Amino acid sequence: MMSSMVLQLFGLAFVTSVLHGHEFSTHLVTAPDLPVVEIGTNFTATCVIVNTVEATADNLYWNLSESSVVPEKNYIKINESALAVTILISGEESEWLFCICKKNSPYVSLNKSKFIHGIYLKKAYPPRRVENLSCVAEQAGKMVSNTLNCKWDVVGGQTEDAKTNYTVMVQHDSGTYRSSTTILNTTFVDLGLFPHYMQLEVWVVAHNLLGTVESEHLKQDANEFVKTHPPSKVTAIPEEPFPNSLLIKWQHPIDDVRIKLTYQIRYCQSGSHAWSYIPLGDTDKVITSFRLQNLQPYSAYVIQMRCRNRDGNSGRWSNWSANETKTTPEDRPRSKPDLWQLSGGDYGEEVQIICKDPKHANGRITSFGLIPYTKNGRLEQEIILADQNQNSSESRVTLLKKISLADKQLVKVCVNANNSKGTSPEACLGIPVRSSERPTVEELKVWTQEGQMFVEWKRPNNTGVTEYVVEWARPGKTDWQRENKTTTRTAIKGSLEKFVRYNVSVYVIQSGRIRKLVHREAYLEQGAPEQGPTINKSYPAYDNARLVWDEIPLDKRRGFITNYNISYRKENEAPKSIPVPANKTSYTLTGLLGNTKYEVWISASTVAGSKNSNPHSFTTLRYAPGTIEGIVVGVSLGFLFFVLMALLLCFLKKDVLKENFWPQIPNPGESTIGNWSPDYPPKEETPKENCVSGVSVLDVGVCEVKLGFEEDKTSLSLKKGKYLSEEHSSGIGGSSCMSSPRQSVSDSDEGPDLADSTASTVQYSSVVASSGYKGQTPSSHSQHSIFSRSESTQPLLDSEEHPDVSLQEGCRQVQHPPRPSLFTGAENQNSMESDDFRLLGVDHHDFCPLREDTELTTEPDSLSADTESAAVSSYMPQLGGYRPQ
Amino acid sequence: MGNVMMAVSRTKVTAVTNLAALVEHECTNLLILYRKQENLPEDMESDRLVFISHPSSQLDTKSKLQSLHTGLGKCYSLLERAIALEEEELDGVETTEYKNTRGRLKGELLNLLKSTGGLLKAAGGKPIKVLDDSEPYQPSNLFHLKLWVYSVLMEVKFWSSTAIALLRELQAVAAKEPPKKSKKSTRSTRR
């Protein structure tokens, strides 16, 4: 360090002498002025005061980038006019190192720019050796490319102001080549001509302002840098006499004179990705064919090849060639068919003999030969053709024969398989005595792990086990595998599907006899049900409802149902849920409200999830059971009670009733009308002479006349009953007249006010003494004498004051508003009178009911004529009716 | 010869042999193209242009390699001259394929020359400089030039074939020698 400082001082002395010779504007000079400083090292600079005595070294200080003062402990005072500083170069950003005078004299203050000097510190990392250099020259057409592509791993950092550049160098006996310079980690070198069989030396030169460094030199034969195309036209050829081999042929991807290649072959059975590799030593010759051996007959194989430079071990492998798939020739079946039996028939009264193709079928199995054996020996062989629609494989199951157990003739069957090349060894199976047997061992564990189903069972106590058969069945498909006698735990090797229920059974074969150990249902993986249960019926009652649902179909369950959950709710209310065990298919919801609509749904759950049914609605009943019956019985009893009471009342009051309903009718023969004179006090006569012969009494207020009286007799007759029952009322005090069109007038036109004042006895009557009874010719003109009587204190109407007018107007004048309330006291009497009329055989349409509006709107003259004619026709029946009396 | 193989690895000899074969292959292709281009018969005789003694079996390895190396050097000089004359006199007549093949042959012949020089150096000989101090050929007419170029190519083929034969002889002799024990193993045995 001291030597460097001495050198700096010499330099500064030189600079100072130069400055003395020139008029230079600064009084501080710094050194050294390096192009770059290395990051992580100490840097020492010196500042010298020149051409002034205004300042000394004690007045100097050092700043980094004008702001950060370098601590004084880093200063070294060389003499009175020179101050050195040592700093650690850190950070990647370039910066200034300033030497500044801090003296506060007027001269210094006025010449500040002369008392500052700096060094620009351009920082850099030292270049480092690159690592993992690798180069490759790829095949281009039938030649190798003249370009050598290289890449490497950069070591060390880079700074913006002093980047490291890299150059790849390639050298061989005939020349040296270099790449263009790059700051990246990859580049290429143009070799002009690829130097086959020449020893190449390749390295990378890393260079920056701090220096140059070379990487490790790669020394290899040039061909080891070559990456050719994969072997071309790779072809596998099956040869009929060799069912276990395939002949592979290919072509060199590049002329062998340029690069001698070694090849690598790999193959696998189609569908498998477990490649088998041919040892490199077998293919490192100049060959263009190879025979793959020890292959399975009648199996498809996929073959791939690649190549690289034969000499040396560091050549670049080409890519793998495209798949070449070929099938080996057929051979005769080398193993037995896998023979098994299934229970058949509705009651297990038969067994089905089934088999799978031999494991080493070595070709397409075309038929099976089945040889049945009885107690007496072998029967003739039966040939069963294999289903050629299916691909011949281990998983194909062929039904060979159905055997009835009732016959008990066959004891054994033996089966062989045939293909185009020959016949397999025989497999034999003993026929069971009974198709279905109760399992003898209860313990069977079935579980799944990592996508496989495992089965574990207990070895039966008795000995003589030949082998076990593990069978798994789903609807429509059964498969099995055989395990040796020492096995008690295995994984099912067949392809199982998720969410499908399998019935797993374990059979033991003992001396050719099959015995079922145990079976269990299992899933490879459970899922949520695909559909919910179906609510097929609900039986709502008043405060409960019974739900019945169907189980989810087996293929939709996708797992074991753990439980059901019934949810129900009223409208706009939160649902309630009730768990129900999985073995139930009906449930009664209780605590419901009557006459309420409920929505209900059921979810079925497995361990993996649940699924809801479609919502179902029902409405509870309005009444609880017995309510309606109670009401009916109550009403019936009440009605019965009422009837009884009515009967009792009738019985007790029969005299009153008789008097009301069947009053004493006065005998006309005893009538004193002949002696009746106006002088007679009417009140005394009235009770005895309600109705007299030849006198018509028209009740007031109930008689209505309809407009068009004559034209509408029919309608009149239809209303007859009404008139009779409701609108006829008798006159007062038994005054009545039945044969005159103007016999009686009881007018109530006065209205309600009048009614109030005559609530009890406002009655008008006209008693007409008519000769009608004698001459039967009632006419307005033939009426000679009219006797009118009134009990009312009201003034008489015009009709009464002017009898002539009344007589002409006839029935029109006999009009009353239908106000029965005004005559409540006389109503019963009216009805009684109606009955009286009936008893007397009087047709009621003899009366002329008048309607109030008709009266108001009809012209008096025309109406008078109408009324007159009506009166004539209406009196005819009366005459007849009274004749017998 | 065994000494040579001790100094130079078998791999190196094999590589030079393969390179000689490549040169011969390239030269054969070029002759085919040249005959086709110049309508020359296949069995046309050529003049000898390299007057170097053939590495006969009586010579030692070093002398053989020296002879071979010198002959190849002459061939290279002739080929360079031939290319220069062709480019001068027949520029635009040759096909691209011919030019490319000719360029590869020149480069590969140079590589072969350098490689045999390495073998010669290993055998104690002194490789020659690729400088032909003889007077450069000047054809009197174009026909003579074409015949001369044909003769050059035939010389290159001859000497490349000679190289293959000599180097294979070296390989065969080396194969008969017992494998050389490494120093390390020798030391460990002594210990």
Side-chain angles (χ1 to χ4, degrees):
Chain A
M1 186 173 176
M2 283 305 292
S3 58
S4 67
M5 289 174 64
V6 170
L7 283 173
Q8 287 178 25
L9 282 174
F10 276 117
L12 285 169
F14 172 73
V15 170
T16 305
S17 62
V18 171
L19 288 174
H20 274 295
H22 298 83
E23 277 299 321
F24 201 72
S25 59
T26 182
H27 294 299
L28 297 181
V29 178
T30 55
D33 191 10
L34 296 177
V36 67
V37 291
E38 185 179 335
I39 296 170
T41 60
N42 286 326
F43 173 72
T44 300
T46 305
C47 184
V48 178
I49 301 165
V50 293
N51 297 337
T52 184
V53 291
E54 282 290 323
T56 63
D58 296 331
N59 300 128
L60 301 179
Y61 68 97
W62 292 90
N63 255 19
L64 268 172
S65 299
E66 289 190 16
S67 56
S68 170
V69 178
V70 180
E72 286 189 14
K73 65 180 181 181
N74 293 358
Y75 299 170
I76 299 170
K77 185 178 176 183
I78 297 169
N79 54 38
E80 284 301 315
S81 61
L83 179 68
V85 67
T86 301
I87 59 169
L88 176 66
I89 303 299
S90 60
E92 293 181 350
E93 292 289 323
S94 297
E95 59 187 336
W96 284 94
L97 177 64
F98 292 104
C99 175
I100 306 169
C101 179
K102 63 184 175 184
K103 188 177 180 182
N104 199 14
S105 70
Y107 180 78
V108 173
S109 298
L110 287 172
N111 297 280
K112 267 190 176 177
S113 60
K114 291 183 179 180
F115 288 91
I116 182 169
H117 204 264
I119 303 168
Y120 186 65
L121 300 177
K122 192 185 278 187
K123 300 174 184 176
Y125 290 103
R128 303 270 300 273
R129 279 184 161 197
V130 302
E131 293 177 352
N132 299 324
L133 171 64
S134 64
C135 298
V136 61
E138 297 200 347
Q139 183 178 346
K142 287 291 176 186
M143 307 290 168
V144 175
S145 169
N146 299 332
T147 304
L148 189 67
N149 295 298
C150 297
K151 63 179 181 179
W152 58 91
D153 293 338
V154 171
V155 179
Q158 288 271 41
T159 58
E160 279 298 316
D161 292 327
K163 287 185 175 174
T164 303
N165 294 310
Y166 302 95
T167 307
V168 176
M169 305 293 292
V170 179
Q171 191 176 49
H172 59 81
D173 288 345
S174 303
T176 301
Y177 308 85
R178 65 168 55 225
S179 70
S180 57
T181 300
T182 180
I183 59 170
L184 304 175
N185 68 335
T186 177
T187 190
F188 63 91
V189 185
D190 187 359
L191 301 174
L193 171 73
F194 189 80
H196 293 286
Y197 306 112
M198 299 292 285
Q199 190 78 13
L200 287 192
E201 193 171 344
V202 185
W203 69 97
V204 178
V205 176
H207 169 78
N208 68 9
L209 294 172
L210 289 175
T212 299
V213 64
E214 288 184 1
S215 71
E216 191 179 352
H217 289 215
L218 276 179
K219 289 182 183 176
Q220 286 179 339
D221 188 286
N223 281 350
E224 292 196 41
F225 292 103
V226 175
K227 181 184 179 184
T228 66
H229 295 159
S232 59
K233 296 182 179 175
V234 178
T235 312
I237 303 166
E239 297 169 300
E240 197 61 31
F242 308 109
N244 298 98
S245 73
L246 284 172
L247 179 65
I248 302 170
K249 289 189 172 181
W250 67 91
Q251 289 184 1
H252 298 302
I254 191 169
D255 204 333
D256 186 56
V257 76
R258 299 188 186 284
I259 179 168
K260 291 176 173 45
L261 298 171
T262 186
Y263 297 91
Q264 188 169 37
I265 301 171
R266 67 179 184 180
Y267 64 97
C268 67
Q269 284 204 325
S270 183
S272 163
H273 295 286
W275 294 100
S276 300
Y277 290 82
I278 300 296
L280 289 174
D282 296 347
T283 52
D284 64 350
K285 306 169 187 68
V286 186
I287 52 172
T288 54
S289 67
F290 189 82
R291 192 185 299 281
L292 290 178
Q293 295 183 352
N294 298 322
L295 305 180
Q296 291 292 328
Y298 199 64
S299 300
Y301 283 91
V302 180
I303 296 132
Q304 289 184 342
M305 289 187 71
R306 65 177 180 175
C307 55
R308 73 172 188 190
N309 181 48
R310 187 188 310 158
D311 300 320
N313 295 318
S314 56
R316 305 283 297 233
W317 282 109
S318 71
N319 296 330
W320 287 103
S321 65
N323 284 353
E324 167 69 1
T325 305
K326 277 289 183 320
T327 302
T328 49
E330 281 194 43
D331 192 12
R332 76 176 182 86
R334 297 285 175 182
S335 62
K336 301 174 185 178
D338 194 351
L339 199 56
W340 189 234
Q341 55 92 33
L342 289 178
S343 298
D346 294 337
Y347 304 103
E349 72 277 10
E350 67 175 21
V351 290
Q352 298 175 351
I353 304 299
I354 56 175
C355 79
K356 287 193 275 194
D357 290 359
K359 190 175 182 183
H360 301 294
N362 295 345
R364 179 183 288 270
I365 298 298
T366 54
S367 65
F368 295 94
L370 187 143
I371 305 154
Y373 287 85
T374 65
K375 289 176 183 173
N376 299 325
R378 171 181 169 153
L379 300 179
E380 192 175 346
Q381 176 174 303
E382 300 171 25
I383 299 295
I384 298 103
L385 294 177
D387 184 4
Q388 296 302 315
N389 293 326
Q390 290 185 35
N391 288 332
S392 179
S393 67
E394 281 181 61
S395 60
R396 182 175 71 173
V397 177
T398 305
L399 173 62
L400 299 176
K401 192 179 178 65
K402 292 181 180 177
I403 296 172
S404 172
L405 296 178
D407 295 344
K408 296 185 178 176
Q409 289 180 344
L410 297 179
V411 294
K412 186 175 81 169
V413 290
C414 289
V415 174
N416 55 49
N418 305 303
N419 67 9
S420 65
K421 296 290 180 183
T423 301
S424 74
E426 280 183 356
C428 295
L429 187 72
I431 306 298
V433 179
R434 292 187 301 277
S435 174
S436 55
E437 249 183 314
R438 281 182 64 80
T440 54
V441 177
E442 295 297 331
E443 287 185 36
L444 174 68
K445 287 183 189 170
V446 182
W447 72 96
T448 57
Q449 188 178 339
E450 295 174 354
Q452 273 200 308
M453 189 179 285
F454 291 86
V455 183
E456 186 173 1
W457 62 93
K458 263 197 165 182
R459 188 176 290 122
N461 293 330
N462 45 6
T463 56
V465 175
T466 310
E467 63 180 342
Y468 296 99
V469 174
V470 179
E471 178 191 276
W472 60 97
R474 56 180 291 190
K477 190 178 179 186
T478 301
D479 203 353
W480 68 93
Q481 70 189 45
R482 295 178 183 276
E483 300 293 339
N484 65 38
K485 61 184 180 183
T486 59
T487 305
T488 55
R489 174 179 173 171
T490 187
I492 289 178
K493 298 179 182 72
S495 61
L496 301 178
E497 291 180 31
K498 292 176 180 177
F499 317 130
V500 172
R501 181 176 291 189
Y502 287 95
N503 201 345
V504 181
S505 307
V506 176
Y507 296 83
V508 62
I509 312 287
Q510 288 176 312
S511 308
R513 185 163 166 260
I514 301 167
R515 196 156 57 84
K516 192 173 191 175
L517 282 183
V518 71
H519 77 271
R520 181 148 295 175
E521 291 176 331
Y523 284 88
L524 181 66
E525 185 180 327
Q526 296 191 56
E530 194 176 325
Q531 71 175 46
T534 307
I535 303 173
N536 59 12
K537 211 139 195 177
S538 60
Y539 302 95
Y542 176 70
D543 60 352
N544 62 70
R546 183 165 167 264
L547 296 173
V548 179
W549 62 91
D550 290 336
E551 282 190 321
I552 304 170
L554 198 58
D555 58 327
K556 306 282 186 187
R557 282 184 213 169
R558 295 157 59 96
F560 295 111
I561 302 297
T562 52
N563 68 292
Y564 294 106
N565 203 49
I566 300 176
S567 302
Y568 65 99
R569 67 175 174 194
K570 289 193 288 182
E571 200 168 21
N572 300 326
E573 283 195 6
K576 297 176 183 175
S577 292
I578 299 170
V580 176
N583 56 357
K584 297 263 187 184
T585 55
S586 68
Y587 187 79
T588 302
L589 296 173
T590 56
L592 306 179
L593 295 176
N595 192 28
T596 305
K597 187 176 181 181
Y598 283 91
E599 187 181 49
V600 63
W601 62 94
I602 302 174
S603 70
S605 301
T606 66
V607 291
S610 60
K611 181 79 177 178
N612 287 347
S613 69
N614 290 327
H616 177 84
S617 297
F618 62 83
T619 305
T620 49
L621 300 181
R622 185 183 293 270
Y623 300 107
T627 305
I628 293 175
E629 289 85 342
I631 292 170
V632 169
V633 169
V635 168
S636 301
L637 289 174
F639 180 73
L640 189 63
F641 177 75
F642 176 74
V643 169
L644 288 175
M645 289 303 292
L647 289 174
L648 184 63
L649 190 66
C650 290
F651 182 74
L652 294 176
K653 300 287 185 182
K654 62 184 177 184
D655 295 337
V656 177
L657 288 172
K658 189 178 178 182
E659 187 178 336
N660 285 328
F661 288 104
W662 297 281
Q664 288 292 325
I665 300 170
N667 189 352
E670 295 173 1
S671 173
T672 58
I673 195 161
N675 300 323
W676 193 34
S677 71
D679 298 331
Y680 282 167
K683 286 185 181 176
E684 293 170 1
E685 293 295 325
T686 301
K688 294 176 183 176
E689 297 172 2
N690 279 344
C691 187
V692 292
S693 178
V695 177
S696 293
V697 179
L698 287 181
D699 187 12
V700 291
V702 293
C703 184
E704 291 184 13
V705 176
K706 197 172 183 180
L707 189 60
F709 183 78
E710 282 293 320
E711 292 80 6
D712 202 3
K713 276 187 177 176
T714 310
S715 64
L716 182 65
S717 65
L718 288 171
K719 294 182 177 180
K720 179 175 62 180
K722 183 180 176 187
Y723 298 148
L724 287 172
S725 61
E726 295 179 359
E727 298 182 359
H728 284 205
S729 61
S730 66
I732 305 161
S735 300
S736 64
C737 181
M738 300 170 66
S739 57
S740 173
R742 195 184 164 280
Q743 294 87 344
S744 176
V745 174
S746 177
D747 202 343
S748 63
D749 284 342
E750 293 81 5
D753 295 337
L754 184 61
D756 289 341
S757 60
T758 59
S760 56
T761 57
V762 180
Q763 295 177 358
Y764 296 85
S765 297
S766 297
V767 179
V768 180
S770 175
S771 60
Y773 263 47
K774 291 177 179 144
Q776 296 295 320
T777 53
S779 168
S780 62
H781 302 289
S782 63
Q783 293 169 359
H784 302 292
S785 61
I786 298 169
F787 178 74
S788 296
R789 175 174 64 91
S790 174
E791 294 176 338
S792 174
T793 56
Q794 295 290 330
L796 287 171
L797 296 173
D798 289 344
S799 59
E800 291 181 323
E801 287 175 348
H802 308 285
D804 294 336
V805 177
S806 301
L807 186 64
Q808 289 172 359
E809 287 176 357
C811 290
R812 190 169 58 87
Q813 292 179 339
V814 187
Q815 52 191 317
H816 310 281
R819 290 195 183 95
S821 60
L822 293 176
F823 303 98
T824 48
E827 195 165 356
N828 288 338
Q829 198 176 348
N830 292 342
S831 62
M832 283 163 64
E833 275 185 3
S834 298
D835 291 336
D836 290 348
F837 293 147
R838 221 175 282 133
L839 290 168
L840 289 169
V842 177
D843 284 335
H844 294 274
H845 59 259
D846 293 347
F847 295 93
C848 301
L850 292 175
R851 195 176 272 178
E852 186 174 334
D853 54 353
T854 309
E855 176 194 37
L856 293 172
T857 56
T858 310
E859 284 295 317
D861 294 338
S862 62
L863 188 62
S864 173
D866 291 342
T867 312
E868 195 173 351
S869 62
V872 171
S873 61
S874 63
Y875 274 82
M876 289 306 288
Q878 287 182 356
L879 294 174
Y882 274 87
R883 192 167 290 141
Q885 295 175 354
Chain B
M1 187 170 285
N3 293 334
V4 175
M5 296 312 295
M6 283 172 65
V8 183
S9 71
R10 288 180 196 174
T11 309
K12 177 66 180 172
V13 176
T14 305
V16 178
T17 310
N18 290 333
L19 183 55
L22 176 60
V23 170
E24 188 193 35
H25 172 80
E26 209 75 75
C27 190
T28 304
N29 285 344
L30 190 63
L31 276 168
I32 291 169
L33 291 172
Y34 192 74
R35 285 193 189 105
K36 189 179 174 184
Q37 180 180 290
E38 306 299 337
N39 291 317
L40 299 175
E42 253 189 57
D43 56 350
M44 196 179 83
E45 293 291 325
S46 62
D47 295 331
R48 293 304 307 271
L49 302 176
V50 177
F51 302 100
I52 305 288
S53 61
H54 191 266
S56 67
S57 56
Q58 280 76 31
L59 299 174
D60 60 0
T61 303
K62 178 184 162 188
S63 300
K64 287 178 184 175
L65 286 172
Q66 188 73 59
S67 173
L68 175 67
H69 182 65
T70 309
L72 289 172
K74 283 286 182 186
C75 286
Y76 183 75
S77 297
L78 291 170
L79 185 61
E80 268 194 322
R81 179 65 184 157
I83 290 170
L85 288 172
E86 278 190 321
E87 286 177 348
E88 188 179 319
E89 301 290 336
L90 305 170
D91 190 30
V93 176
E94 305 100 330
T95 61
T96 309
E97 186 183 7
Y98 176 81
K99 283 183 177 177
N100 289 342
T101 309
R102 191 180 63 190
R104 284 201 301 275
L105 176 63
K106 182 188 169 191
E108 284 158 2
L109 182 59
L110 178 63
N111 289 343
L112 179 60
L113 182 64
K114 296 289 181 183
S115 296
T116 53
L119 290 179
L120 178 62
K121 195 176 177 182
K126 187 179 179 185
I128 60 162
K129 288 183 179 177
V130 189
L131 284 173
D132 189 9
D133 51 357
S134 62
E135 192 178 338
Y137 171 73
Q138 287 292 342
S140 55
N141 58 43
L142 197 58
F143 179 71
H144 285 158
L145 171 63
K146 290 185 176 180
L147 288 180
W148 185 78
V149 170
Y150 178 71
S151 297
V152 169
L153 295 180
M154 290 298 285
E155 279 293 350
V156 173
K157 186 177 181 190
F158 171 79
W159 280 100
S160 59
S161 299
T162 301
I164 294 168
L166 175 61
L167 294 168
R168 282 183 179 159
E169 185 187 332
L170 290 176
Q171 283 181 288
V173 172
K176 289 176 186 172
E177 291 177 357
K180 180 186 161 187
K181 290 180 181 176
S182 66
K183 277 186 176 179
K184 190 177 180 182
S185 62
T186 306
R187 280 177 191 167
S188 63
T189 307
R190 284 175 184 171
R191 282 175 190 172

